[in-house]
Amino acid sequence: MGRSSKDKRDIYYRLAKEEGWRARSAFKLLQLDEEYRLFQGVQRAVDLCAAPGSWSQVLSRKLRGGDEQSRGVKIVAVDLQAMAPLPGVIQIQGDITKVSTAHEIIGHFEGQPADLVVCDGAPDGNVENS
């Protein structure tokens, strides 16, 4: 189903498109950083439930400052869905509830803990309670 005309009138939807963000949710993370200084001192970050990648974009721009080769900064994005590549972001297509995915994330940090983990995911409405 396509986007409704109401979505296209939303100021954050239009602003996201103008500024090159993949989704308007980028502004949520930018606002959180502005208020709580989330990115201060962060060298290793994980974005869980990352698709379509707007939060990974924010992390890349804020932590790398446009420099794909920024020293020491590692950003890992994880989602079940494939995402278009992002400069300076390591992407894992996997299930965040699987231990194997956790090990893969940890492997990219070479034994160091993540400084920041963000997640803008929501449970699938079709998931059954177990």
Side-chain angles (χ1 to χ4, degrees):
M1 198 174 201
R3 297 206 181 273
S4 72
S5 62
K6 181 181 177 192
D7 290 335
K8 290 185 172 98
R9 287 191 310 259
D10 179 274
I11 187 164
Y12 289 106
Y13 173 85
R14 287 193 316 263
L15 194 57
K17 296 303 171 197
E18 289 171 16
E19 293 185 13
W21 299 112
R22 291 186 177 187
R24 57 187 244 157
S25 60
F27 296 110
K28 287 194 288 188
L29 189 56
L30 288 167
Q31 183 178 7
L32 286 166
D33 177 51
E34 189 175 306
E35 188 167 340
Y36 298 106
R37 302 173 57 98
L38 295 178
F39 305 140
Q40 188 171 2
V42 172
Q43 293 288 301
R44 293 172 303 279
V46 181
D47 181 7
L48 302 174
C49 305
S54 63
W55 279 24
S56 294
Q57 278 184 300
V58 169
L59 290 169
S60 182
R61 289 185 192 179
K62 289 296 214 173
L63 300 181
R64 295 181 168 283
D67 180 8
E68 191 172 334
Q69 304 300 321
S70 292
R71 290 186 187 160
V73 173
K74 286 199 178 177
I75 302 163
V76 177
V78 185
D79 202 287
L80 288 170
Q81 299 176 32
M83 294 187 329
L86 282 166
V89 177
I90 299 162
Q91 295 183 16
I92 298 172
Q93 187 173 355
D95 185 339
I96 65 169
T97 67
K98 302 286 185 197
V99 173
S100 59
T101 304
H103 286 300
E104 191 173 350
I105 295 166
I106 292 165
H108 287 292
F109 293 142
E110 301 167 359
Q112 297 294 313
D115 298 314
L116 177 69
V117 178
V118 296
C119 181
D120 193 29
D124 184 351
N126 297 324
V127 175
E128 295 180 20
N129 294 331
S130 41

